[in-house]
Amino acid sequence: MSLFGASLLLLAVFLAVLLLLAQPLGRYLASVMDSGDDPRMRLLRWGAPIERLLYRLCGIRRDIEMDWRAYALAILLFNLLGALVVYALQRLQVWLPLNPQGLANVSPDSAFNTAVSFATNTNWQGYGGESTMSYLTQMAGLAVQNFLSAATGIAVVIALIRGLTRRSAATLGNAWVDLTRATLYVLLPLAIVLALFLVSQGVIQNFDAYQAITPLQADAGTTQLLPMGPVASQEAIKLLGTNGGGFFNANSAHPFENPTPLTNFVQMLAIFIIPAALCHAFGHMAGDPRQGWAVLAAMTALFAVLALGTMYFEQQGNPVLASLGVDQHSTALQPGGNMEGKEARFGIAGSALFAAVTTAASCGAVNTMHDSFTPLGGMMPLALMQLGEVVFGGVGSGLYGMLIFAMLAVFMAGLMIGRTPAYLGKKIEAFEMKMIALVILVTPVLVLAGTALAVSVQAGQAGVANPGAHGFSEILYALTSAANNNGSAFAGLSANTPFYNVLTAVAMWFGRFAVIVPVLALAGALAAKQRLADSPGAMPTHGPLFVVLLIGTVLLVGLLNYVPALALGPVVEHLQVWMAH
């Protein structure tokens, strides 16, 4: 089988397993979040005593629902408090327990950046985990926020779905109940199962001090310090919550985080499984599973094309090396293609597919160095983020982003055919379009303005290790990753400086919450509307025509803003490489 044939097979198997697992999980998600008070829900009885205890301890009345303003305020305050806790743990860790290496307190600007990063589901890391964070900070700070930020995304998308499906309602649910149920019934059980699987495959889980070992190929007396720690527990929720923050600096390229091709495959499934399942949950809550299938079909089609593009460009190899006579063909002794920055145990296909998965899903986990990709190979993950992280996207955030594009698509279709635009029977009018415009425009403004600022000032230019088009791509990637709450990096950019720590923190915070607030405002406005009956002239939003329209809207509106920036970065670099060749 050819190298590209093997990549096609891997992608096909991956998508088949994903779609097979997503449907039952989607039904379960809909039951948890929409029917939790139904006494017939036997699946939830195991957690009912814990749920009631949590409500009692926190003084929560689960029977009292919130309007969109109260819901948004609860989400904002909850995440702000989480960021403050993570910041305090970093700044005090030298005096706190579970720090066997005696790691120092984190600097104020780095601690601020990390606190915002993990509270916003971005997990951008400007530090090496094994040399910076104590076990307590990793567990009580970073891993806990991995659960809570993911629960926030689920809660917000469920609130939006309620807005689309309720009739003349003034409320969207109870934020505290939604956060509790998403964590207790969805994220925690899945994380326990995945963590046990990872341990069985060789991912470490301990509280030992770092081990001094003698390498097999070393002079007498030479030792290497081998990091230890509670890795599997953090690794599981890092993936399931589309968080991405690695326990180690090498992230999922580290053998203690991702030891085998099997764990690599399962980790990719873990990143996509909840975003895919939420599409089915949407269909069931809307009373029409075809609605969920339509959104999932659009996501899958966009992902398949861009993932294949990433694999193809990496398998072509580096033309600069080819011009020097380096053999990059696949043989029995070498994998072929552009293997720079990739782990031999994963190869081109496993590395390129992981890069596409992690950038499509707002997950900063990486098993390869994106900075070492070919110019066009690196442009594919960049484009997946710039689409708005709606191709599966983050847990919750991917679906509410895609639903925003769906409403925009029916609005444009309504203008073309001269009918009042409506989605799931809810009219899309002036206020709704203002909120949709805010959601769509916030991120490009943060990315492009942040990139322009970074390339214009000395503090931003000082972090660039590679001059020219590639250096510009590194800055563009960093701001794209931060504002879209992805967290992966091109590397090559020295971003752990006061300038970049503050700049990316601002992009991360507003990229998350300047989107969530208008999404909840939109949900509140939709919930208050009557649900109209389908008219003969209305365009169905569950068929192939709508899927094509939705894909076109995502490409036209989501990516078009970035075409000039992409031309200055990856496209120029590609042309330079081929001219040199």
Side-chain angles (χ1 to χ4, degrees):
M1 182 181 293
S2 68
L3 196 61
F4 192 62
S7 296
L8 281 171
L9 179 61
L10 175 63
L11 178 62
V13 172
F14 172 73
L15 290 176
V17 175
L18 173 71
L19 297 177
L20 183 66
L21 295 176
Q23 191 167 14
L25 181 57
R27 289 178 178 271
Y28 174 71
L29 271 163
S31 299
V32 167
M33 304 306 295
D34 199 43
S35 307
D37 293 322
D38 190 336
R40 294 172 297 177
M41 286 305 302
R42 296 176 183 176
L43 285 172
L44 307 186
R45 288 181 182 175
W46 67 269
I50 303 173
E51 187 180 0
R52 287 194 297 268
L53 177 61
L54 290 172
Y55 295 152
R56 192 175 300 116
L57 290 174
C58 299
I60 294 170
R61 289 278 305 277
R62 65 176 180 175
D63 57 323
I64 298 178
E65 293 202 347
M66 303 174 176
D67 63 16
W68 77 263
R69 292 175 181 84
Y71 202 104
L73 182 61
I75 292 293
L76 288 172
L77 291 177
F78 180 70
N79 285 275
L80 178 60
L81 179 61
L84 292 174
V85 171
V86 175
Y87 180 83
L89 283 170
Q90 294 174 86
R91 296 291 292 139
L92 301 173
Q93 71 178 10
V94 74
W95 301 294
L96 297 174
L98 291 176
N99 186 7
Q101 297 307 117
L103 297 174
N105 293 331
V106 183
S107 67
D109 60 290
S110 181
F112 168 66
N113 181 275
T114 303
V116 171
S117 176
F118 278 77
T120 58
N121 201 243
T122 309
N123 303 81
W124 171 271
Q125 293 175 289
Y127 57 87
E130 62 267 54
S131 59
T132 308
M133 300 297 180
S134 70
Y135 293 167
L136 182 67
T137 303
Q138 294 268 27
M139 292 189 305
L142 308 187
V144 168
Q145 278 306 126
N146 284 349
F147 280 97
L148 301 183
S149 63
T152 296
I154 295 175
V156 172
V157 76
I158 293 299
L160 178 59
I161 295 171
R162 290 183 186 129
L164 283 164
T165 55
R166 290 184 172 182
R167 302 184 181 186
S168 301
T171 59
L172 297 173
N174 187 309
W176 308 119
V177 172
D178 291 339
L179 289 167
T180 301
R181 286 182 175 163
T183 304
L184 179 61
Y185 295 112
V186 181
L187 297 171
L188 191 58
L190 290 175
I192 291 172
V193 171
L194 181 57
L196 291 174
F197 167 78
L198 293 174
V199 169
S200 75
Q201 298 299 302
V203 177
I204 64 172
Q205 181 76 12
N206 59 54
F207 294 101
D208 296 343
Y210 292 4
Q211 305 294 310
I213 64 167
T214 301
L216 294 176
Q217 296 179 341
D219 298 330
T222 301
T223 60
Q224 176 182 337
L225 196 63
L226 197 63
M228 296 283 109
V231 178
S233 55
Q234 183 166 321
E235 186 75 9
I237 190 58
K238 142 192 162 179
L239 301 162
L240 288 165
T242 61
N243 295 288
F247 194 95
F248 301 112
N249 193 33
N251 209 284
S252 287
H254 199 291
F256 283 175
E257 288 197 29
N258 189 11
T260 67
L262 176 60
T263 60
N264 195 61
F265 186 84
V266 172
Q267 287 191 13
M268 291 189 291
L269 284 175
I271 293 170
F272 266 9
I273 186 65
I274 297 179
L278 280 168
C279 294
H280 290 292
F282 162 61
H284 288 293
M285 290 176 68
D288 184 358
R290 296 174 299 174
Q291 300 290 342
W293 275 112
V295 173
L296 185 58
M299 290 180 175
T300 305
L302 285 165
F303 172 75
V305 171
L306 289 169
L308 285 174
T310 309
M311 294 176 174
Y312 174 80
F313 289 124
E314 290 306 292
Q315 287 165 350
Q316 301 311 299
N318 189 327
V320 175
L321 295 179
S323 67
L324 297 174
V326 177
D327 183 9
Q328 298 179 80
H329 293 91
S330 176
T331 68
L333 299 177
Q334 65 179 25
N338 176 33
M339 279 297 293
E340 180 189 343
K342 299 178 178 64
E343 287 293 315
R345 66 185 186 276
F346 303 140
I348 295 286
S351 300
L353 181 57
F354 198 108
V357 167
T358 196
T359 48
S362 182
C363 181
V366 293
N367 74 349
T368 183
M369 183 66 70
H370 294 185
D371 193 50
S372 297
F373 278 27
T374 60
L376 296 185
M379 188 175 73
M380 298 295 105
L382 189 56
L384 278 165
M385 290 188 290
Q386 291 175 343
L387 287 174
E389 293 286 17
V390 297
V391 181
F392 293 97
V395 168
S397 62
L399 180 56
Y400 65 65
M402 186 59 96
L403 292 178
I404 292 295
F405 277 110
M407 286 181 265
L408 179 61
V410 298
F411 180 80
M412 293 192 298
L415 292 179
M416 288 188 286
I417 63 176
R419 291 188 176 273
T420 301
Y423 187 57
L424 300 186
K426 297 296 182 79
K427 287 185 179 180
I428 309 300
E429 297 177 301
F431 179 80
E432 290 77 31
M433 282 309 302
K434 290 175 183 177
M435 295 302 103
I436 289 171
L438 275 176
V439 171
I440 291 174
L441 293 175
V442 161
T443 307
V445 169
L446 290 170
V447 172
L448 298 176
T451 302
L453 176 62
V455 300
S456 301
V457 299
Q458 182 60 37
Q461 298 169 15
V464 179
N466 302 290
H470 191 77
F472 177 81
S473 295
E474 290 171 351
I475 295 175
L476 177 64
Y477 192 106
L479 270 299
T480 299
S481 178
N484 285 281
N485 302 130
N486 182 273
S488 65
F490 242 28
L493 178 70
S494 299
N496 194 8
T497 64
F499 174 80
Y500 277 110
N501 280 333
V502 173
L503 178 63
T504 54
V506 170
M508 288 185 284
W509 187 263
F510 287 99
R512 177 74 161 177
F513 296 109
V515 169
I516 282 178
V517 171
V519 165
L520 291 174
L522 174 64
L526 291 170
K529 292 176 181 285
Q530 290 283 351
R531 192 169 182 179
L532 305 176
D534 290 337
S535 62
M539 184 185 70
T541 55
H542 52 69
L545 179 61
F546 177 73
V547 172
V548 172
L549 179 63
L550 180 55
I551 291 172
T553 303
V554 171
L555 291 174
L556 181 65
V557 179
L559 194 59
L560 198 60
N561 296 305
Y562 300 100
V563 169
L566 291 172
L568 291 173
V571 174
V572 166
E573 185 185 1
H574 174 75
L575 295 175
Q576 289 174 335
V577 166
W578 279 101
M579 288 175 65
H581 170 60

